[in-house]
Amino acid sequence: MQLSKAEEKVVDFDNRCQQVAMYLWSGRSVSITEQQLRWYDVSPHQMISELLGWLQGEEAEAVWEANDGELKGRQFTVWCTKRGGVYVFKAKVIS
């Protein structure tokens, strides 16, 4: 079955969020341009919400537990700063 362009965009965004969450989980920051967010049709706040879902969701816990059990159940905070047309996303374990 062929996906429509809108469905492809949703799948691509989901994959991108998973990838970004893995970078954030490992302590890195991730830069995303305004143009990229506009292409996905999401705001920075929506991106943060999605990333928190990946960092704290059930699927994420299975991945984190497999890699480092001590982070299971931890709570994260995610934020971004804007420099020009680029958003820099970061995350930190808060508990």
Side-chain angles (χ1 to χ4, degrees):
M1 183 171 138
Q2 188 76 14
L3 296 176
S4 70
K5 290 286 183 190
E7 291 169 328
E8 284 180 20
K9 193 179 285 190
V10 168
V11 169
D12 186 49
F13 178 69
D14 192 50
N15 290 339
R16 176 71 181 243
C17 286
Q18 182 180 12
Q19 182 181 38
V20 169
M22 291 293 283
Y23 283 121
L24 296 178
W25 179 75
S26 65
R28 298 183 197 164
S29 62
V30 176
S31 298
I32 300 176
T33 66
E34 270 184 300
Q35 185 177 8
Q36 289 170 313
L37 289 178
R38 209 174 12 251
W39 188 83
Y40 287 122
D41 196 26
V42 297
S43 70
H45 290 91
Q46 290 169 310
M47 184 73 177
I48 288 170
S49 179
E50 288 294 320
L51 293 172
L52 280 171
W54 275 103
L55 288 167
Q56 297 175 173
E58 288 181 26
E59 302 94 1
E61 283 199 11
V63 173
W64 309 154
E65 186 176 85
N67 290 311
D68 187 355
E70 71 183 52
L71 284 179
K72 182 175 173 26
R74 295 280 175 103
Q75 296 293 309
F76 288 82
T77 185
V78 177
W79 70 96
C80 73
T81 56
K82 184 178 179 188
R83 296 183 194 140
V86 178
Y87 291 93
V88 179
F89 291 86
K90 296 180 182 182
K92 180 180 179 181
V93 175
I94 57 174
S95 66

